[in-house]
Amino acid sequence: MKNRKFILLFALLLSLGIVLAACGGGSDEEETTDSTNSGDDAATEEGSSDYSIAMVTDQGGVDDKSFNQSAWEGMQAWGEEHGLSKGNGFNYAQSGSKADFMPNITRLVRDEYSLIFGTGFLLQEDIQKAAEQFSDTKFALVDAIVEAPNAVSVTFKEHEGSFLAGVAAASKTTTNKLGFVGGIDSPLINKFEAGFIAGAKSVNSEIEVDVQYAETFDDPSKGKLIASNMYSNDIDIIFHASGGTGNGVFNQAKDIKQNDPEREIWVIGVDRDQHEDGEINDQNVTLTSMIKRVDVAVQEVANMLANDQFPGGEILEFGIEEEGIAIAETNTEAMTEEIVNTVNEWQEKILNGEIEVPKTREELETFESSL
């Protein structure tokens, strides 16, 4: 009798142990995700893709109306294509400063994203370090080079699109004075500067271009101040390559237009089509935008991963020919048929190799001397 009771008790305890193991297994491995700098918690593998992707923004953030926003839009499009949603297959971690880069990257690695994008050359050092430290995770760095077998470098021929922006500006200006507002004075932004000046002076070598750098990508007030000084000095078109700082350029142009609707004053946007940013009453101060299809590049690299063709260790470069660079024609009143035809003529010269667009100040000096 005692043996029978013992056997029944043992069986009961054994069954209870199995149930508890099934319910509680893995609980020690769960971690609480700090979402302060992120759009959401960790992604789960849902939807039609076996992969998950995430991005770490630079200081501009995903709503900078420029570079980071374009990358995020590409990630959203990829997620929609694969039946995923924000926080469930793709996500982002927002950075307020450089100090946030590595903590954000590390957290996304911990959350087991398959591919992590670093958007912007400011993340170069941290993405390089992370690629070496976390060899089982794949990385993509936009706008700079990372050297690791588990990472791909995504670059653009910004100088080509900036050249065409310069052609458009030179064809539109009535003062022959143009402005260029850069974010941080760096080799990347120098490509925008060199291309823009080369394009403008190819149309009219007498055109003057005032170049100023804000030394930041997230200070609209500084962009507004620089633009105010430029417009006060008879400059009528400003091309900005300054991320969120460029919002201040648009604000200043719209303020001037608000007070003097008849004045011909323009802004050339960057990275995305910034036509909406130039709307003021029934007018628009956006002449055109130098579109840098970061969204297309993000989608392409993510699809390479999904197709088990991730180009680790490679450098991908997107230009006009690869449909990674373009000029917006949204403002049909400002970008007249004549200007568009002129831009297309110069674009054809770039594509057939007749013109090699400079991408440094040294190359620009040589280019100008040949005009």
Side-chain angles (χ1 to χ4, degrees), residues 42-46 49-55 75 78 84 88-91 105 107-117 130-131 134-140 149-152 301-308 310-312:
T44 57
E45 303 297 332
E46 296 181 5
S49 175
D50 292 329
Y51 298 94
S52 59
I53 63 175
M55 61 176 273
M75 192 164 289
W78 181 85
L84 307 172
N88 291 292
F90 67 92
N91 215 331
I105 294 170
R107 184 169 56 76
L108 294 176
V109 170
R110 184 192 68 200
D111 291 345
E112 298 184 349
Y113 284 92
S114 309
L115 171 62
I116 298 171
F117 286 84
F134 306 110
S135 58
D136 291 335
T137 301
K138 291 180 172 58
F139 296 89
N150 57 324
V152 59
V301 172
N303 279 326
M304 287 179 177
L305 174 74
N307 294 326
D308 295 322
F310 183 73

Side-chain angles (χ1 to χ4, degrees), residues 171 335-343:
S171 302
M335 286 287 284
T336 63
E337 183 177 353
E338 182 181 359
I339 293 177
V340 170
N341 289 338
T342 300
V343 168

Side-chain angles (χ1 to χ4, degrees), residues 114-299:
S114 309
L115 171 62
I116 298 171
F117 286 84
T119 54
F121 70 91
L122 294 177
L123 283 105
Q124 183 178 30
E125 181 179 346
D126 293 297
I127 289 292
Q128 180 68 52
K129 186 185 301 181
E132 295 170 358
Q133 184 176 349
F134 306 110
S135 58
D136 291 335
T137 301
K138 291 180 172 58
F139 296 89
L141 178 61
V142 181
D143 269 355
I145 306 300
V146 56
E147 298 180 354
N150 57 324
V152 59
S153 305
V154 180
T155 62
F156 294 84
K157 299 177 182 177
E158 295 92 351
H159 50 301
E160 291 184 349
S162 299
F163 183 97
L164 299 181
V167 169
S171 302
K172 188 69 175 179
T173 181
T174 58
T175 65
N176 286 336
K177 292 183 178 181
L178 308 176
F180 174 81
V181 177
I184 294 177
D185 193 345
S186 58
L188 173 65
I189 307 303
N190 292 163
K191 291 168 70 177
F192 291 86
E193 174 193 335
F196 180 66
I197 296 173
K201 289 185 175 286
S202 291
V203 174
N204 180 358
S205 60
E206 300 301 315
I207 278 181
E208 299 176 15
V209 183
D210 182 10
V211 175
Q212 295 189 42
Y213 280 82
E215 292 304 336
T216 177
F217 290 108
D218 60 354
D219 190 348
S221 62
K222 196 163 187 179
K224 193 175 193 301
L225 177 61
I226 293 173
S228 176
N229 292 332
M230 286 185 171
Y231 288 131
S232 295
N233 289 324
D234 213 22
I235 286 171
D236 58 353
I237 302 173
I238 297 175
F239 174 38
H240 93 87
S242 56
T245 298
N247 295 336
V249 177
F250 277 101
N251 291 337
Q252 180 60 26
K254 289 191 288 186
D255 284 352
I256 293 173
K257 197 71 171 177
Q258 178 79 36
N259 295 322
D260 186 2
E262 300 303 317
R263 182 174 175 184
E264 289 286 311
I265 193 169
W266 306 99
V267 181
I268 296 178
V270 74
D271 296 334
R272 301 168 65 252
D273 184 352
Q274 295 194 278
H275 182 261
E276 291 185 0
D277 300 299
E279 292 178 350
I280 173 72
N281 297 328
D282 59 345
Q283 298 184 329
N284 197 303
V285 298
T286 305
L287 173 61
T288 182
S289 298
M290 198 290 282
I291 301 175
K292 180 174 167 180
R293 299 304 303 270
V294 182
D295 56 338
V296 170
V298 166
Q299 284 181 264

Side-chain angles (χ1 to χ4, degrees), residues 335-354:
M335 286 287 284
T336 63
E337 183 177 353
E338 182 181 359
I339 293 177
V340 170
N341 289 338
T342 300
V343 168
N344 288 337
E345 288 172 6
W346 286 97
Q347 176 173 289
E348 188 58 34
K349 292 179 181 180
I350 294 173
L351 290 174
N352 65 26
E354 187 176 340

Side-chain angles (χ1 to χ4, degrees), residues 75-93:
M75 192 164 289
Q76 290 174 297
W78 181 85
E80 183 177 343
E81 176 186 348
H82 291 276
L84 307 172
S85 62
K86 177 175 173 287
N88 291 292
F90 67 92
N91 215 331
Y92 70 88

Side-chain angles (χ1 to χ4, degrees), residues 11-23:
L12 179 62
L13 291 173
L14 180 62
S15 299
L16 181 60
I18 291 173
V19 171
L20 289 173
C23 295

